[in-house]
Amino acid sequence: MLYTSTRRKLNPITATKAILQGISSEGGLFVPTKLPKMDFTVDELSKWSYQEIAYRVMRLFFDEIQDEDLKYCINHAYDEKFDTKEIAPLVHTKTGHFLELFHGPTIAFKDMALSILPYLMLTSKRYNGEEKDIVILTATSGDTGKAALEGFANVAGTKIIVFFPQDGVSEVQKQQMLTTEGENTCVIGVRGNFDDCQSTVKEIFQDQVFAEELSSKNYKFSSANSINVGRLVPQVAYYFAAYGKMLRDGKVVAGEAMNVVVPTGNFGNILAAYYAKEMGLPIGKLICASNSNKVLFDFFESGTYDRNRPFFLTESPSMDILISSNLERLLYHISGEDTELVSDMMTALKEEGKYAVTDKMREGLKDFYGGYADDVKTKAYIKKVYEEEGYLMDTHTAVAYAVYDDYLKETKDETPTVIVSTASPYKFTHSVMTALDSKYEEIGDFKLLEEMHHLIKGDMPKAMDQIETRKIWHKEVCDVSQMKEMVRKFLV
Ligand SMILES: *Cc1c(COP(=O)(O)O)cnc(C)c1O
């Protein structure tokens, strides 16, 4: 299994090289030269542990990594850091099947991939005789940052630098990041939005002169954003796990299609579902849920991707994105691997802020359905589902639920459907509690943790323990134009 770029025909490289490098030198994303097919049955899925499923899926993408090494990575990633042995439990309520991806150390779905990425990275280093320190450079809309910090803090031979939009993350998210310990960590607030952070990080990656300067100091950049295949591939596994559980619980019969609804920002999570489907997992529709930043909804409606529009800060901040990086991989696949076309589209996106897909490519989008929900609607669903079904959703999951309800009304499609639940409600306490009752309006995130605890059974997640009083280690804030300088300052 080898990897090539979405923007250029190059000599394919190995998975471990793609993981180390993060992004191709001309700015393209690494993609498998051919998507593998599942070589096991859905009945087997219903019997296997999460770790076994992850192994059976990931080995198809990373066949270069020896079995015992891959198992080592998986067993160290999906261990007691997660608060349930199931790792990704499927919870059935009256109206929904929720795939809960928030049982890891930072209580959002980014843990599913970022708890394993450091192990894959170290394995890749070893396989390639890479002796330089790996510098993980990451832009975050809130959740990736903390999950990456959690994964890489104190990992020998790595450093991690995280940029986040200073005013674009929740109070809890910010506190989680700023209180990270570890000599090798650096967290910086940026006066700008997530797209500014992400674009600048991509530019820093492509800056060859800077790369050489750092190389001479024994550093090599890599990425923990979902542009890294080492993050994408582990995410494919939980769709297989979800199907196994739907089967185990009698919600589908073997081979019957299952739809998925995914609250989407950078398009990584839903792309993983698309990969699972292409590999042969019986997935029907891929329902892509957006908040008011509904650039993807408009794209699925019209075939034109247009980021020229106002940017909204919403109550589902991890989806406040106008440039969904991983869509580039989908464009590559549905264009028949036309690197020139993808490259032109990405240039148009950079220069004019938009591009349109061809009619042929639109064919390839037929299994996707786009929908969106604004904050008012999202919060109404949090209240409704809590009151009617006793299940408390976070704002991101609620966007997905709202879009699913619209989809049902519009299509009457009764295919069993899994709603991907990407964050614990504890991570967005203010938004969730005010959705239930406006009396919480004046109370901050931290004060509402206990109030929320009264509503939810079970222990409060460890991630929230004493969160308010932890020591702040990171205090730096910068402009977008200063980001590169901040990197230099931390490293030398
Ligand atoms: C990152 C994130 C998303 C968006 O996922 P993508 O893979 O970027 O589309 C949705 N919800 C939460 C809670 C997230 O952290």
Side-chain angles (χ1 to χ4, degrees):
M1 178 64 61
L2 293 170
Y3 291 78
T4 182
S5 164
T6 50
R7 295 193 198 173
R8 184 167 57 116
K9 294 256 180 287
L10 46 75
N11 284 335
I13 62 170
T14 60
T16 56
K17 283 206 166 65
I19 291 170
L20 278 182
Q21 207 175 314
I23 189 167
S24 185
S25 57
E26 80 292 342
L29 308 191
F30 291 120
V31 276
T33 50
K34 188 165 180 292
L35 285 173
K37 292 285 172 207
M38 60 191 273
D39 61 356
F40 42 80
T41 66
V42 290
D43 285 307
E44 285 174 299
L45 287 174
S46 68
K47 300 183 184 87
W48 287 340
S49 68
Y50 189 83
Q51 291 80 357
E52 179 77 21
I53 293 172
Y55 166 69
R56 294 300 298 255
V57 171
M58 289 174 60
R59 67 191 276 276
L60 299 173
F61 287 92
F62 300 151
D63 56 1
E64 164 207 10
I65 301 180
Q66 307 259 313
D67 278 349
E68 65 267 26
D69 289 338
L70 187 56
K71 284 187 175 161
Y72 177 90
C73 293
I74 288 169
N75 292 335
H76 283 76
Y78 306 117
D79 62 3
E80 289 73 39
K81 286 193 284 301
F82 284 75
D83 65 15
T84 159
K85 273 206 166 56
E86 289 215 67
I87 306 296
L90 185 69
V91 174
H92 308 289
T93 68
K94 202 165 78 208
T95 60
H97 312 291
F98 293 88
L99 178 65
E100 294 188 348
L101 301 179
F102 57 75
H103 289 273
T106 75
I107 62 176
F109 101 96
K110 304 293 194 294
D111 289 326
M112 298 303 296
L114 284 162
S115 52
I116 193 166
L117 186 65
Y119 292 100
L120 293 173
M121 200 76 90
L122 291 182
T123 306
S124 301
K125 243 180 113 170
R126 184 156 57 82
Y127 276 43
N128 291 280
E130 176 61 65
E131 284 171 358
K132 294 194 171 64
D133 277 1
I134 302 291
V135 179
I136 302 295
L137 193 59
T138 288
T140 183
S141 55
D143 290 331
T144 291
K146 180 59 184 179
L149 287 162
E150 195 67 29
F152 283 96
N154 297 315
V155 173
T158 71
K159 289 191 189 295
I160 170 160
I161 305 175
V162 171
F163 290 105
F164 71 92
Q166 173 70 3
D167 299 316
V169 301
S170 84
E171 208 178 337
V172 168
Q173 286 177 315
K174 192 187 251 186
Q175 184 79 353
Q176 278 187 312
M177 288 192 277
L178 299 184
T179 56
T180 308
E181 296 182 35
E183 280 278 315
N184 66 334
T185 65
C186 170
V187 183
I188 300 168
V190 177
R191 288 181 279 266
N193 64 35
F194 172 70
D195 288 316
D196 299 328
C197 296
Q198 174 161 266
S199 305
T200 310
V201 162
K202 275 194 189 165
E203 279 167 22
I204 298 175
F205 272 120
Q206 285 174 61
D207 186 336
Q208 297 302 321
V209 179
F210 195 40
E212 270 162 41
E213 177 189 332
L214 292 180
S215 181
S216 71
K217 307 220 156 69
N218 212 34
Y219 290 122
K220 181 185 167 70
F221 278 134
S222 192
S223 166
N225 279 98
S226 56
I227 53 179
N228 194 314
V229 289
R231 228 185 100 178
L232 185 59
V233 169
Q235 293 181 177
V236 178
Y238 50 72
Y239 289 100
F240 285 88
Y243 194 90
K245 288 184 174 143
M246 288 289 276
L247 189 56
R248 177 198 68 189
D249 297 347
K251 307 296 179 187
V252 291
V253 295
E256 183 185 1
M258 147 188 118
N259 292 342
V260 295
V261 194
V262 187
T264 297
N266 225 353
F267 210 74
N269 200 350
I270 196 165
L271 184 77
Y274 171 79
Y275 277 14
K277 181 177 165 80
E278 292 293 303
M279 290 169 73
L281 188 68
I283 291 180
K285 285 279 186 251
L286 301 144
I287 302 169
C288 175
S290 303
N291 63 24
S292 295
N293 295 298
K294 60 183 184 59
V295 62
L296 287 166
F297 166 77
D298 293 337
F299 172 69
F300 288 121
E301 287 284 293
S302 69
T304 297
Y305 193 94
D306 187 356
R307 64 151 306 189
N308 303 303
R309 61 179 71 214
F311 176 82
F312 299 107
L313 289 175
T314 74
E315 307 222 33
S316 42
S318 303
M319 296 156 66
D320 288 346
I321 291 175
L322 292 180
I323 303 177
S324 300
S325 295
N326 273 291
L327 190 61
E328 179 171 344
R329 288 189 164 109
L330 182 65
L331 298 177
Y332 171 84
H333 296 296
I334 61 173
S335 68
E337 308 179 0
D338 189 337
T339 49
E340 228 170 283
L341 184 59
V342 174
S343 182
D344 288 346
M345 286 175 169
M346 291 303 113
T347 306
L349 180 63
K350 190 164 178 160
E351 288 169 3
E352 292 133 51
K354 63 177 181 178
Y355 61 83
V357 297
T358 62
D359 288 343
K360 182 180 145 251
M361 287 169 81
R362 285 193 82 171
E363 265 299 287
L365 298 176
K366 66 178 190 318
D367 294 327
F368 286 87
Y369 170 95
Y372 73 99
D374 64 15
D375 281 344
V376 172
K377 186 163 169 176
T378 302
K379 291 178 104 167
Y381 273 96
I382 292 176
K383 187 174 166 72
K384 178 172 169 1
V385 172
Y386 179 70
E387 287 176 352
E388 293 174 7
E389 310 184 33
Y391 187 75
L392 193 55
M393 301 181 289
D394 97 289
T395 45
H396 303 76
T397 309
V399 167
Y401 190 95
V403 167
Y404 174 50
D405 211 32
D406 285 345
Y407 172 80
L408 275 183
K409 285 181 189 137
E410 188 184 317
T411 64
K412 313 268 185 304
D413 176 3
E414 284 175 9
T415 308
T417 300
V418 164
I419 298 163
V420 177
S421 179
T422 49
S424 158
Y426 280 113
K427 201 153 188 176
F428 301 95
T429 40
H430 182 80
S431 300
V432 173
M433 294 303 282
T434 52
L436 299 181
D437 195 327
S438 58
K439 76 180 183 202
Y440 298 115
E441 201 56 59
E442 298 304 318
I443 313 176
D445 262 347
F446 301 130
K447 298 277 178 297
L448 288 172
L449 287 169
E450 271 307 320
E451 294 282 343
M452 184 175 277
H453 194 200
H454 294 310
L455 305 182
I456 308 183
K457 288 191 247 14
D459 296 333
M460 186 164 337
K462 272 209 299 278
M464 292 299 107
D465 206 25
Q466 314 270 316
I467 175 99
E468 191 176 3
T469 52
R470 286 182 210 159
K471 179 169 159 73
I472 306 260
W473 292 95
H474 306 275
K475 294 189 175 146
E476 294 208 86
V477 178
C478 76
D479 291 326
V480 177
S481 62
Q482 296 170 311
M483 287 169 60
K484 186 166 140 188
E485 207 37 55
M486 300 301 280
V487 172
R488 187 179 273 127
K489 205 168 105 189
F490 176 64
L491 293 177
V492 296

